[in-house]
Amino acid sequence: ITTPSNQHYEMVKQCLINNKDVLVEKPAFLTVAEGEELLQLAHEHQSVVSVHQNRRWDGDFITVQKLLQQETLGNWKVFESRFDRFRPFVRNRWREIAGLGSGNLYDLGSLLIDQAIVRFGEPDAVYAEVMTQRENGQTDDSFFIVFHYGEKRAYLRSNSFVNNNYPRFELH
């Protein structure tokens, strides 16, 4: 299922009710209640639901994972991951029209959050800033999230005003 995010829940639900296995684009659902219901339906119908998180297989992410596993980089303190774009003008597309499931956080944030949790697990604490910066913006187009892991931090960020080729990952 690769439709706008606000359609995932109903489509996944119909598939599960009809005893189908499902591969759904991220984010698979938009609320905790939706997720719990879909997982219960999958269990009841003995179906499989999987979320397509293709960024787990990016070469740079796999390299960072390998370096961290091998402790090649020493005692790191800050992990930074970003997915920036230069899109200073709002376009007429579902991700940029107001509504649950639209915006940069649901779109790109779900990728960065997934990578951090896959790599480091559930954080001890979370801090976030989510912003709409573009003129006439209806959805968020920038975010900065900090995951706390003891004395270590994971900074996850995305911005629609970055016209530069910064590295996707940094370890300090």
Side-chain angles (χ1 to χ4, degrees):
I1 296 173
T2 57
T3 59
S5 300
N6 64 0
Q7 297 175 5
H8 291 178
Y9 164 75
E10 197 55 49
M11 295 179 88
V12 170
K13 183 176 178 177
Q14 288 306 310
C15 290
L16 294 173
I17 288 170
N18 287 287
N19 299 312
K20 303 293 181 189
D21 294 330
V22 182
L23 175 62
V24 60
E25 179 65 38
K26 56 77 186 157
F29 46 84
L30 303 179
T31 68
V32 172
E34 286 179 358
E36 289 173 345
E37 181 183 347
L38 293 176
L39 291 174
Q40 182 61 37
L41 277 172
H43 178 74
E44 289 171 11
H45 291 271
Q46 298 180 341
S47 295
V48 174
V49 176
S50 185
V51 182
H52 185 248
Q53 285 286 14
N54 61 315
R55 294 296 178 175
R56 289 182 183 183
W57 312 115
D58 286 355
D60 53 359
F61 178 65
I62 291 171
T63 299
V64 168
Q65 280 190 290
K66 183 177 177 182
L67 292 170
L68 288 168
Q69 273 179 324
Q70 296 172 345
E71 298 181 356
T72 304
L73 303 173
N75 186 19
W76 66 274
K77 297 296 181 185
V78 175
F79 168 82
E80 291 192 45
S81 179
R82 62 171 45 92
F83 208 127
D84 295 321
R85 296 175 169 167
F86 187 65
R87 293 188 178 166
F89 304 104
V90 176
R91 298 186 306 181
N92 185 20
R93 54 189 214 132
W94 70 265
R95 284 186 177 100
E96 298 183 37
I97 296 171
L100 191 59
S102 62
N104 215 17
L105 183 59
Y106 273 104
D107 184 26
L108 301 175
S110 61
L111 297 169
L112 300 181
I113 291 166
D114 178 71
Q115 286 181 338
I117 291 173
V118 162
R119 180 60 238 150
F120 306 114
E122 190 172 319
D124 302 323
V126 177
Y127 167 81
E129 294 182 18
V130 182
M131 300 159 276
T132 302
Q133 297 179 318
R134 294 181 294 177
E135 189 174 325
N136 300 314
Q138 298 178 35
T139 63
D140 63 271
D141 51 28
S142 175
F143 62 82
F144 175 70
I145 302 169
V146 181
F147 280 8
H148 295 248
Y149 295 99
E151 81 281 353
K152 298 178 188 242
R153 301 289 182 267
Y155 297 157
L156 314 174
R157 64 179 80 210
S158 180
N159 193 305
S160 295
F161 282 105
V162 177
N163 191 12
N164 201 332
N165 205 10
Y166 292 106
R168 274 216 356 198
F169 300 104
E170 293 181 33
L171 281 153
H172 306 274

